[in-house]
Amino acid sequence: MNALDLARWQFAITTVYHFLFVPITIGLTALIAVMQTFWHRGGDERWLRLTKFFGKLFMINFALGLVTGIVQEFQFGMNWSLYSRFVGDIFGAPLAFEALLAFFLESTFLGLWIFGWDRLPKRIHLASIWLVHLGTVFSAFFILAANSFMQNPVGYTFNPTTNRAELSDFLAVLTNEVQLVTFPHVLMGAYMTAGGFLMGIALYHLRRQALDHGPDVSMYRKAVRLGAIVSLVASLGVIVSGDVQGKVMTTYQPMKMAAAEALYETRSNAPFSVLTIGGLDGASARPIIEVPGLLSFLGTGSFSGEIKGINDLQAAYAGKYGSAALTQSASYVPTIWLTYWNFRLMMGAGFVTMFFAALALWKTRGDGVVTGGMWKHIAIWTPLLPVFANSFGWIFTEVGRQPWIVNGMMTTASGVSSTVGASSVLISMVIFTLLYGALAVVEVKLLLRYIKPGAVPVAAPIDPADRTDDAPLVFAY
Amino acid sequence: MTDLSALQLVWFILIAVLWIGYLTLEGFDFGVGMLLPILGRAKTTDPTDIADAERRKRVMLNTIGPVWDGNEVWVLTAGGATFAAFPQWYATLFSGFYLALALILVALILRGMGLDYRHKVNDDTWRKRWDLAITGGSFLAALLWGVGLTNIVYGTPIKPNPAVAGDYIFDGTLLTLLGPVPLLGGLTFVALFLTHGAFFIALKTDGPIRHEARALGIRAGLVSAVLAVALLLLIGLKHGSLVFWIGTAVAAVALLAGIAMAAKAREGWAFIGTFAAIAFAVVAYFGALFPNAMPSTLGDANSLTLAAASSTPTTLTIMTWAAAIFTPIVLVYTGWTYWVFRKRLAVHHIPEPVAIH
């Protein structure tokens, strides 16, 4: 493997890993804020217990998202220095905005929320968690604006004197058509993920309480229903935004759309295969279930619409891009099996989560509880499936963009750091992979330890006005 | 592209400000992390002493608990702002100092995980491991930031990339970065942050630990003063400029004044002293750097200048507006956070450990 391959692997590992924690962070801050608001408004102690319980789980998850996020910010320059210098004038600004507008807000108010239960007036303490959530939303917006530039570069001109792309219209970068559909898609995905997280963990406890006739059935039912409703509504948002995204993708990244279906020949009324056996090389594929015209519909909004095939696109791109150093590539076709299967796994995981959410809502209506052994499995899978769906979606999006680092403008191969040797990348990759692996084990074990006791009764927060200076801290490291 | 525009100058100054924010704030976090085994050492093997030492450690960790994460954002902002305002600087620096930065990242990851996870399980082995992560990570990060920043200022083998027009590359290895002056820079950062952290603990705690921290800070401060003067003279002989010497002079006076104030048990002023010393040391560093982003040891013509590294006026203008509007807001709520957690902590404030085993 050369430095380029290693740098690509490193980006894949660090980014997929980082993004395991991000959607839970975004979505769960909102859900915790909602639960705390319920408690604040109605005084129902059950919501306070749930707030504190999921607050602890949130912090265990957030720690990893935080520390792995620093790597994200640095690795563009470390592994992709030619990319960074070429597009930094455009790409750097959203990252700086993200730090200035989002990271400070998130970190500062999270500190206030965690340590501030007995230091801040109730109202301000509640506002803190909402501000943390706002920070995560800002963060998502800016980083997706940066990513959308890579999918569909807009608002720039090439300057031959400086030999780089330069910003001409920042508003165009922020309102990139790809960004306008990706941002809601990712945000809804995050709410769906957090809804699944809440629902799954609450289902586990609801079942246990129901079987043991425990006192907290109603509390966990509330949590299950909140998680299920959020997950279900958000998944509808995911579907609607994903549908628009498919059409935008067909316009700006037709190769990615063709790669999603392994469609080699241009055709109208293009079918969508749910499953395929055999190779995806265009010759030996054997679709098992095929819906006629569905790919055309996803891509164009009409069952008879034309979808460009991989072969035509490859020929067209070879002619269009084959002569310039930054854009020439032996092939303009992404790794088809990855795009094909990740696209399906993403949707599949999403639909199964939706189904579980609907089922849980139905079972817990009125005084309903869940007791069957099946629910133990559902409780495990509902937090995991949306997390995987996010990963599948991103792997599809990023692999589907290849061989481009910036679509139609610069190949990934021409963006890699020219002076970083394969051994350096390998050393850092091994270190990060081992470290990340070890931390994942610690994190999961810790999460399970904290999930087990459940939302135990808590003391009512002390008003800061009533707090004596010598009282022990309510929360302490 | 040789003359520096006003906007480019503004962004050079703003990046210096972000580094001042980072090193003055996370500097005391690093110091607290490094002091954990020193001020939190059990004096005997008596169980009462061991339990007391654990409570002192927790007092120390809780002084930075609500703020360390926000403090770390300053370096993310510095990184992002460098990417946006001086993309070539970001590209050359981050790819050039590759393994050093990877090690810094590992140190920051371990330290951050330690701070977040240490208190989550009531188990001695668990705590010991995360203590090692916090202290080791704080030390390594402080040392490597010192080595790295001193390398940038002192000069590294930078040259234009013959293969890509406009690109500058670092022509060296990890060993290139381990010259005597940068290593002295690393040690100076460690000593300065130890002092800064000790004065911070003295300011934020009460009980015996407060006095021990102050006494330790004075000793560490004297060592830092010697190291810092040697370091800044070595840098100054090569890259001295008016701003550099003013920064150096103010930093030296501030550090000595801080130590003197600590000796008089004026902890607030002592902390302000080390705070100002670090801030003006950064001023001196950036004063020595100007007008380069990365001076080259391969001849002046090879240096990466700020003008050559910079973004377009369009990008810089947008960024300036964002900075002008949002930096004051950030400063207000950051300052307010410190005010909320202004009370001194003592061992009696520390609650029982969590019930998770």
Side-chain angles (χ1 to χ4, degrees):
Chain A
M1 255 198 246
N2 57 24
L4 171 65
D5 293 333
L6 289 165
R8 292 179 65 182
W9 269 107
Q10 173 140 325
F11 194 87
I13 292 168
T14 54
T15 309
V16 169
Y17 189 82
H18 175 62
F19 207 75
L20 296 175
F21 310 102
V22 173
I24 299 180
T25 297
I26 298 173
L28 209 52
T29 47
L31 286 176
I32 291 169
V34 166
M35 293 191 286
Q36 191 173 342
T37 305
F38 286 163
W39 169 68
H40 184 81
R41 291 236 165 138
D44 186 339
E45 200 231 349
R46 289 172 295 186
W47 287 119
L48 176 64
R49 286 168 62 184
L50 289 167
T51 302
K52 292 222 167 185
F53 175 52
F54 282 97
K56 284 182 210 156
L57 304 183
F58 166 78
M59 286 185 285
I60 293 169
N61 170 76
F62 180 78
L64 268 170
L66 170 83
V67 296
T68 56
I70 317 172
V71 179
Q72 297 302 106
E73 172 116 5
F74 283 21
Q75 67 175 333
F76 295 108
M78 289 171 73
N79 279 331
W80 307 98
S81 75
L82 288 178
Y83 165 77
S84 298
R85 74 161 300 280
F86 192 78
V87 299
D89 193 55
I90 308 134
F91 190 86
L95 266 68
F97 272 68
E98 189 189 19
L100 189 61
L101 271 74
F103 293 159
F104 274 120
L105 198 64
E106 263 179 88
S107 312
T108 309
F109 282 94
L110 188 60
L112 281 160
W113 186 76
I114 296 172
F115 286 86
W117 281 96
D118 56 341
R119 307 292 182 94
L120 295 171
K122 263 170 84 176
R123 213 176 258 275
I124 294 176
H125 185 255
L126 175 63
S128 298
I129 190 70
W130 279 110
L131 286 171
V132 176
H133 179 59
L134 188 67
T136 65
V137 174
F138 283 166
S139 168
F141 180 82
F142 286 112
I143 199 64
L144 290 170
N147 179 267
S148 296
F149 179 82
M150 301 169 86
Q151 311 291 345
N152 176 39
V154 291
Y156 76 97
T157 48
F158 175 71
N159 181 344
T161 316
T162 53
N163 184 28
R164 66 182 186 187
E166 294 181 346
L167 184 68
S168 58
D169 186 350
F170 190 55
L171 198 64
V173 173
L174 295 182
T175 58
N176 187 340
E177 220 179 314
V178 173
Q179 158 74 347
L180 294 182
V181 290
T182 305
F183 175 58
H185 193 64
V186 170
L187 193 62
M188 287 300 143
Y191 292 139
M192 182 179 176
T193 309
F197 186 86
L198 179 64
M199 174 173 64
I201 290 162
L203 271 174
Y204 165 77
H205 282 292
L206 176 62
R207 181 173 171 275
R208 273 201 349 185
Q209 289 272 325
L211 290 173
D212 302 346
H213 303 289
D216 295 325
V217 167
S218 67
M219 177 176 73
Y220 290 118
R221 184 189 298 113
K222 277 173 179 291
V224 168
R225 293 185 68 79
L226 177 65
I229 289 169
V230 168
S231 207
L232 205 56
V233 172
S235 57
L236 292 175
V238 170
I239 292 171
V240 171
S241 56
D243 180 61
V244 184
Q245 224 179 355
K247 288 158 186 69
V248 172
M249 185 167 70
T250 308
T251 310
Y252 297 111
Q253 296 176 291
M255 181 64 96
K256 196 191 279 184
M257 193 61 181
E261 177 59 27
L263 181 77
Y264 283 83
E265 301 303 331
T266 302
R267 61 173 291 184
S268 50
N269 192 26
F272 178 88
S273 58
V274 178
L275 286 174
T276 292
I277 49 170
L280 292 165
D281 54 2
S284 57
R286 294 182 153 292
I288 298 175
I289 313 164
E290 203 171 60
V291 185
L294 183 58
L295 186 71
S296 288
F297 181 75
L298 290 176
T300 66
S302 151
F303 284 99
S304 55
E306 184 187 81
I307 299 290
K308 293 257 186 255
I310 292 166
N311 293 339
D312 281 350
L313 289 166
Q314 163 66 28
Y317 290 171
K320 189 175 172 188
Y321 299 119
S323 52
L326 282 184
T327 56
Q328 63 187 207
S329 174
S331 160
Y332 293 93
V333 186
T335 310
I336 298 296
W337 67 269
L338 274 174
T339 52
Y340 181 91
W341 287 112
N342 275 292
F343 193 57
R344 277 151 190 78
L345 286 167
M346 169 187 76
M347 291 195 288
F351 283 127
V352 175
T353 310
M354 271 182 90
F355 172 72
F356 287 158
L359 199 62
L361 266 184
W362 175 251
K363 288 288 286 183
T364 55
R365 72 193 188 283
D367 284 335
V369 291
V370 294
T371 47
M374 164 186 92
W375 287 96
K376 216 163 62 184
H377 301 287
I378 293 179
I380 293 168
W381 282 102
T382 38
L384 293 178
L385 282 171
V387 171
F388 294 151
N390 287 306
S391 300
F392 295 138
W394 274 111
I395 294 169
F396 166 70
T397 301
E398 297 295 288
V399 170
R401 192 188 61 230
Q402 302 304 319
W404 303 108
I405 195 164
V406 182
N407 191 33
M409 179 172 145
M410 183 184 212
T411 60
T412 307
S414 53
V416 75
S417 296
S418 50
T419 50
V420 179
S423 57
S424 292
V425 189
L426 186 65
I427 291 168
S428 71
M429 190 169 92
V430 169
I431 293 174
F432 281 123
T433 308
L434 291 177
L435 181 62
Y436 280 15
L439 291 179
V441 174
V442 176
E443 198 245 7
V444 170
K445 280 189 174 171
L446 192 60
L447 262 182
L448 294 176
R449 274 186 197 177
Y450 269 80
I451 287 171
K452 207 143 199 209
V456 291
V458 291
I462 308 156
D463 194 281
D466 303 335
R467 187 178 168 275
T468 58
D469 276 351
D470 285 338
L473 304 174
V474 166
F475 176 87
Y477 269 173
Chain B
M1 295 238 306
T2 46
D3 289 336
L4 206 64
S5 71
L7 271 175
Q8 289 166 336
L9 180 63
V10 164
W11 273 93
F12 180 67
I13 293 169
L14 280 175
I15 287 177
V17 168
L18 292 169
W19 277 104
I20 289 173
Y22 179 61
L23 296 174
T24 53
L25 296 174
E26 186 129 287
F28 66 73
D29 296 346
F30 287 150
V32 170
M34 290 188 280
L35 288 167
L36 209 54
I38 302 170
L39 291 174
R41 193 185 60 243
K43 285 168 184 90
T44 66
T45 52
D46 188 75
T48 332
D49 272 353
I50 291 174
D52 179 59
E54 165 59 16
R55 269 195 297 275
R56 271 185 283 135
K57 276 186 190 169
R58 291 183 66 196
V59 167
M60 281 190 265
L61 291 171
N62 279 291
T63 61
I64 60 168
V67 293
W68 72 268
D69 182 9
N71 294 345
E72 196 155 284
V73 175
W74 287 87
V75 80
L76 287 170
T77 314
T82 308
F83 197 172
F86 299 100
Q88 188 62 63
W89 190 2
Y90 173 79
T92 306
L93 174 64
F94 281 61
S95 62
F97 291 14
Y98 190 90
L99 285 175
L101 277 169
L103 283 176
I104 288 181
L105 289 171
V106 170
L108 291 179
I109 289 172
L110 285 172
R111 172 183 156 278
M113 292 305 293
L115 290 169
D116 272 332
Y117 275 15
R118 181 190 191 276
H119 67 281
K120 292 214 183 296
V121 177
N122 185 12
D123 177 84
D124 283 335
T125 314
W126 173 272
R127 276 189 289 261
K128 250 179 218 151
R129 284 183 185 158
W130 289 123
D131 279 355
L132 194 64
I134 295 169
T135 304
S138 298
F139 170 75
L140 191 64
L143 182 78
L144 290 175
W145 281 128
V147 172
L149 290 171
T150 308
N151 264 304
I152 298 174
V153 175
Y154 201 65
T156 46
I158 299 290
K159 62 177 191 186
N161 182 351
V164 179
D167 188 33
Y168 284 76
I169 50 175
F170 168 81
D171 190 15
T173 65
L174 182 62
L175 291 178
T176 318
L177 300 177
L178 301 179
V181 175
L183 283 177
L184 178 62
L187 289 179
T188 309
F189 271 47
V190 169
L192 258 181
F193 292 160
L194 268 174
T195 314
H196 196 39
F199 288 167
F200 181 74
I201 294 171
L203 177 65
K204 296 292 295 177
T205 64
D206 216 344
I209 192 173
R210 173 180 174 184
H211 307 291
E212 283 173 37
R214 203 172 59 215
L216 190 83
I218 293 170
R219 276 182 285 155
L222 292 170
V223 176
S224 341
V226 174
L227 291 174
V229 167
L231 172 70
L232 289 168
L233 282 177
L234 284 168
I235 296 175
L237 289 174
K238 203 173 162 196
H239 297 288
S241 66
L242 183 62
V243 177
F244 173 83
W245 290 115
I246 293 173
T248 299
V250 178
V253 170
L255 182 57
L256 294 174
I259 297 168
M261 285 296 164
K264 287 185 177 178
R266 304 282 296 269
E267 284 133 350
W269 285 106
F271 179 71
I272 290 172
T274 45
F275 193 99
I278 294 168
F280 279 93
V282 178
V283 171
Y285 265 44
F286 276 72
L289 204 53
F290 188 83
N292 288 316
M294 297 188 81
S296 176
T297 51
L298 308 173
D300 275 349
N302 287 312
S303 293
L304 172 60
T305 62
L306 290 167
S310 152
S311 282
T312 56
T314 314
T315 298
L316 293 179
T317 306
I318 292 164
M319 298 270 297
T320 305
W321 278 106
I325 296 167
F326 291 103
T327 315
I329 298 175
V330 169
L331 287 174
V332 166
Y333 64 66
T334 303
W336 177 67
T337 307
Y338 279 91
W339 186 80
V340 168
F341 299 105
R342 67 193 175 282
K343 292 268 164 64
R344 287 180 184 268
L345 292 177
V347 285
H348 66 266
H349 289 116
I350 301 303
E352 288 300 308
V354 289
I356 303 270
H357 292 278

